[in-house]
Amino acid sequence: MTEFEDPPAPTPDGQEPERFKGPVRLRGDQRYQTTSTTDQRLLDSRGPSDWVHTDPWRVLRIQAEFVEGFGALAGLPRAVSVFGSARTKRGTKYYQKAEEIGAALAEEGFAVITGGGPGIMEAANKGAKKAGGLSVGLGIELPFEQGLNRYVDLGINFRYFFARKTMFVKYSQAYICLPGGFGTLDELFEALTLVQTKKVTKFPVVLFGSEYWGGLAEWIRTSVAEAGNISPPDLNLLHVTDDVDDAIRVVHDAYAAWEAAH
């Protein structure tokens, strides 16, 4: 409607004229915000393409990521997610430990899920694959890191962190976190929050490497817990260890308890 036009006349029942855009009701000036229909923009190949980058279209992309993820991972056996830095070099202490953890999990019958990248993720995938286990990589679209490592048997690349994080939690029975940066910390604290609030149950979180994680665990105990911001039992949600067998034991015992409860 231009400034020279009179407002539309009310409908016979006195209601203001309206237009629908799918399930959305438009009245007043909002009725004139769009000059074409969705069908027109879809079928007219000569029309503008900017609409495919708008938020409503992104909702469908997000939905597609969930559908693809659930479809690809629904048949997974029991699994454990292993996190750690993409910057860890081959041949270093924690690269070797991640490879041992991947192999030990595979030997226990667990699939190994990582972010699919280099460093710790590559090592855990490598260990699982060499031990004859299932090696899974859930990659993420980033501007500065390469794609899935060569040891991934089943790989999915995600656009959205939140869709990817849902897959880690839904299809894992435990998290093992080796030294890492913000991404590892993000996954760690999200898991702790979900366990603390009982969104997930029987879900152990293992911090591997006391020299790296010890300071964080101590800060949680002496600052966070003593300030009353978490309850004393919450301290038991974390298990810090330097021993591969101990890490696997924690995972195995938690899974056995979960299985007995179901």
Side-chain angles (χ1 to χ4, degrees):
M1 182 175 66
T2 70
E3 60 179 311
F4 302 107
E5 292 178 323
D6 292 327
T11 59
D13 61 2
Q15 293 294 318
E16 182 180 356
E18 59 189 31
R19 186 170 65 82
F20 281 87
K21 183 180 178 182
V24 179
R25 184 194 305 265
L26 302 173
R27 287 177 173 169
D29 290 343
Q30 291 298 310
R31 296 174 64 235
Y32 303 95
Q33 293 300 312
T34 304
T35 58
S36 62
T37 66
T38 303
D39 277 343
Q40 178 186 343
R41 294 191 296 273
L42 173 65
L43 299 174
D44 186 358
S45 61
R46 297 167 297 175
S49 61
D50 290 349
W51 70 281
V52 301
H53 304 295
T54 60
D55 285 344
W57 182 247
R58 288 190 182 100
V59 170
L60 295 181
R61 285 184 173 172
I62 292 166
Q63 181 184 45
E65 290 211 339
F66 280 105
V67 171
E68 290 167 2
F70 292 153
L73 301 175
L76 277 187
R78 57 185 184 166
V80 173
S81 289
V82 180
F83 298 99
S85 178
R87 304 180 186 188
T88 303
K89 304 298 182 185
R90 295 171 184 168
T92 57
K93 171 184 174 180
Y94 286 114
Y95 186 99
Q96 293 172 343
K97 289 297 184 181
E99 191 172 341
E100 291 176 22
I101 289 169
L105 288 170
E107 289 165 1
E108 283 287 318
F110 290 96
V112 172
I113 305 175
T114 78
I120 295 293
M121 297 173 279
E122 176 188 282
N125 286 137
K126 179 180 179 182
K129 188 176 181 67
K130 290 177 68 175
L134 178 58
S135 176
V136 181
L138 307 182
I140 186 71
E141 183 180 84
L142 293 174
F144 51 81
E145 287 180 5
Q146 56 263 52
L148 299 176
N149 67 68
R150 59 179 173 160
Y151 300 105
V152 169
D153 296 315
L154 172 59
I156 309 171
N157 209 51
F158 290 86
R159 286 189 179 95
Y160 301 100
F161 270 110
F162 52 84
R164 176 183 185 239
K165 288 161 76 173
T166 298
M167 302 304 153
F168 279 125
V169 173
K170 180 172 176 59
Y171 294 104
S172 297
Q173 275 71 53
Y175 277 8
I176 298 179
C177 298
L178 287 91
F182 288 151
T184 301
L185 292 169
D186 178 44
E187 298 289 355
L188 164 63
F189 282 105
E190 173 145 351
L192 290 175
T193 301
L194 292 172
V195 176
Q196 181 198 45
T197 56
K198 302 190 184 302
K199 296 295 185 181
V200 295
T201 58
K202 302 296 183 185
F203 196 98
V205 179
V206 178
L207 300 181
F208 192 92
S210 60
E211 64 181 2
Y212 189 85
W213 296 112
L216 175 63
E218 179 68 9
W219 174 76
I220 291 174
R221 185 180 68 81
T222 60
S223 294
V224 183
E226 288 188 8
N229 292 323
I230 60 173
S231 302
D234 293 334
L235 295 171
N236 298 325
L237 299 179
L238 283 171
H239 183 84
V240 183
T241 187
D242 294 299
D243 183 72
V244 173
D245 290 338
D246 184 42
I248 304 305
R249 178 192 60 78
V250 171
V251 172
H252 184 275
D253 289 352
Y255 182 78
W258 177 87
E259 202 170 33
H262 291 74

